[in-house]
Amino acid sequence: MARRHIIPFLNHLTATRLPLTRSVTYMPRPGDGAPRAVTLIPGDGVGPLVTNAVEQVMEAMHAPVFFEKYDVHGDLSRVPQEVIESIKKNKVCLKGGLRTPVGGGVSSLNVQLRKELDLYASLVNCFNLPGLPTRHENVDIVVVRENTEGEYSGLEHEVVPGVVESLKVITKFCSERIAKYAFEYAYLNNRKMVTAVHKANIMKLADGLFLESCREIATKYPSIKYNEIIVDNCCMQLVSKPEQFDVMVTPNLYGNLVANTAAGIAGGTGVMPGGNVGADHAVFEQGASAGNVGKDKIVQQKKANPVALLLSSAMMLRHLQFPSFADRLETAVKRVISEGKYRTKDLGGDSSTQEVVDAVIANLD
């Protein structure tokens, strides 16, 4: 008889148990809460608008970071040495887009930064945001791109008038370390598959060496599935069935093309976060390079989309080991996108940058 009464009582307790709202706590090391200096480069075009958006949100959150701001523009011949020294000291940088002149003798400051700081891995996270309609669902792709060699080596010369030679450099050292980073990322983030993107059917030595390096590293991660895809087929598969991809590892140029394509599929370049990382330093910026400077009209109207850089700054906060601040920021941004009341023109709305920022701040827990 007693058992007959106890079982319904236990079922009642189970049914009325409060839902878990907090994961197991993050235990910081002593001193981890000390404010961290971050180098800030507003950059060109929409850069000052979106970096200012991050500054406002960080201040509203009372995030333990403060910015050392430097005025750098893409038409400079070199990144000022004081900026390089600031990043080396702080280890972390947040930047807006830097305009790269087309043609001429001015080299890209973005490429200079990557080489100077050996930021050998670029990571772009392309995923569906709840409430933002796109052609495809269940997209969650991470593109890991080698950032220092390949076609971006900058080794070009005119052999004879009218004939230019551009060298694509692939090394075993750089190929192995980017493959290792991709597999390590997949392992630490519970990802199931890494896909190497290549053109080894044509560039048998260069891309062949890249593939050989990826295959060697893959053997050290037996729990992660590994496959390969030719870059042209990859682009076709991305626009037709993007949900098949998980983590993608690529040489330099292919990674730029694949990341921007994936970003366009998942919601646009204005919402995709990313960063560049090396052994000692990290630079966070809008994930997809297309449109990161923006059009003059958007700048004049102050209607740039700050979402990509806000999410990149959430990545930065996790990198700095401030996970609760990262979670708060990411949750607030996703709420604003999901509600749909405040969206910039690229997302089908007509809101200004400041209106989106105010909405994100209002949604902070």
Side-chain angles (χ1 to χ4, degrees):
M1 290 290 292
R3 179 178 174 82
R4 197 176 297 168
H5 294 291
I6 289 171
I7 291 175
F9 176 69
L10 290 175
N11 289 339
H12 171 73
L13 282 179
T14 304
T16 58
R17 185 178 296 161
L18 291 175
L20 292 174
T21 58
R22 185 185 295 274
S23 58
V24 174
T25 189
Y26 163 67
M27 186 175 75
R29 295 166 299 186
D32 272 359
R36 292 285 302 274
V38 174
T39 305
L40 179 65
I41 302 174
D44 297 312
V46 301
L49 276 173
V50 294
T51 54
N52 178 254
V54 173
E55 288 183 277
Q56 290 184 62
V57 174
M58 291 291 180
E59 184 177 354
M61 294 172 68
H62 304 292
V65 297
F66 61 93
F67 294 107
E68 295 179 0
K69 191 183 297 187
Y70 291 90
D71 193 27
V72 180
H73 299 283
D75 57 1
L76 297 176
S77 59
R78 290 202 60 79
V79 179
Q81 190 58 35
E82 62 177 342
V83 178
I84 298 294
E85 293 303 321
S86 174
I87 300 173
K88 286 182 176 179
K89 171 176 65 75
N90 297 331
K91 308 294 185 186
V92 176
C93 173
L94 183 73
K95 67 180 280 290
L98 290 171
R99 184 176 281 111
T100 300
V102 177
V106 180
S107 63
S108 166
L109 297 192
N110 298 301
V111 174
Q112 282 185 32
L113 269 177
R114 295 168 198 161
K115 291 185 176 180
E116 182 78 24
L117 300 169
D118 197 24
L119 303 171
Y120 66 86
S122 165
L123 188 147
V124 181
N125 189 190
C126 303
F127 57 95
N128 292 125
L129 283 162
L132 185 63
T134 58
R135 287 177 180 266
H136 299 278
E137 296 180 353
N138 302 316
V139 177
D140 187 7
I141 301 169
V142 173
V143 181
V144 177
R145 163 192 174 193
E146 203 294 316
N147 228 3
T148 60
E149 57 176 18
E151 294 85 353
Y152 287 65
S153 301
L155 301 174
E156 296 183 312
H157 64 278
E158 190 172 43
V159 182
V160 295
V163 179
V164 172
E165 187 174 57
S166 180
L167 301 181
K168 170 179 176 172
V169 178
I170 298 287
T171 65
K172 186 173 181 64
F173 173 78
C174 289
S175 297
E176 283 186 345
R177 71 176 181 175
I178 195 63
K180 184 176 180 181
Y181 183 82
F183 276 94
E184 191 171 62
Y185 171 87
Y187 171 67
L188 293 174
N189 286 276
N190 194 30
R191 296 280 182 155
K192 307 303 181 186
M193 181 173 67
V194 172
T195 302
V197 182
H198 67 95
K199 191 66 177 172
N201 58 324
I202 302 298
M203 284 167 274
K204 299 182 185 299
L205 291 179
D207 285 22
L209 178 58
F210 175 78
L211 275 189
E212 177 187 309
S213 301
C214 290
R215 289 167 184 168
E216 286 182 15
I217 299 299
T219 62
K220 300 176 183 179
Y221 293 85
S223 63
I224 298 171
K225 184 181 177 182
Y226 170 71
N227 60 16
E228 301 165 357
I229 189 168
I230 296 173
V231 63
D232 40 357
N233 183 33
C234 173
C235 293
M236 189 272 288
Q237 294 290 335
L238 268 174
V239 298
S240 59
K241 196 179 177 184
E243 63 275 7
Q244 68 183 286
F245 295 107
D246 191 353
V247 177
M248 308 174 79
V249 60
T250 77
N252 208 333
L253 179 61
Y254 308 155
N256 191 19
L257 304 176
V258 167
N260 280 277
T261 303
I265 289 164
T269 59
V271 294
M272 298 302 144
N276 308 276
V277 68
D280 300 310
H281 313 98
V283 175
F284 295 87
E285 58 186 339
Q286 179 174 312
S289 59
N292 66 350
V293 174
K295 298 178 181 178
D296 291 339
K297 187 177 180 181
I298 295 175
V299 178
Q300 292 163 4
Q301 294 177 340
K302 297 185 177 180
K303 291 187 174 182
N305 190 346
V307 168
L309 202 65
L310 286 170
L311 292 176
S312 296
S313 64
M315 287 175 59
M316 180 188 75
L317 288 168
R318 288 200 180 94
H319 179 80
L320 291 170
Q321 295 184 321
F322 299 135
S324 66
F325 287 92
D327 291 343
R328 289 172 60 202
L329 174 52
E330 185 176 334
T331 300
V333 170
K334 288 181 176 179
R335 281 177 183 164
V336 172
I337 295 293
S338 181
E339 289 168 2
K341 186 177 179 182
Y342 296 100
R343 291 183 182 175
T344 48
K345 189 173 182 179
D346 58 312
L347 302 183
D350 194 42
S351 300
S352 67
T353 306
Q354 190 59 52
E355 286 172 334
V356 176
V357 172
D358 291 341
V360 170
I361 291 173
N363 276 277
L364 287 170
D365 287 329

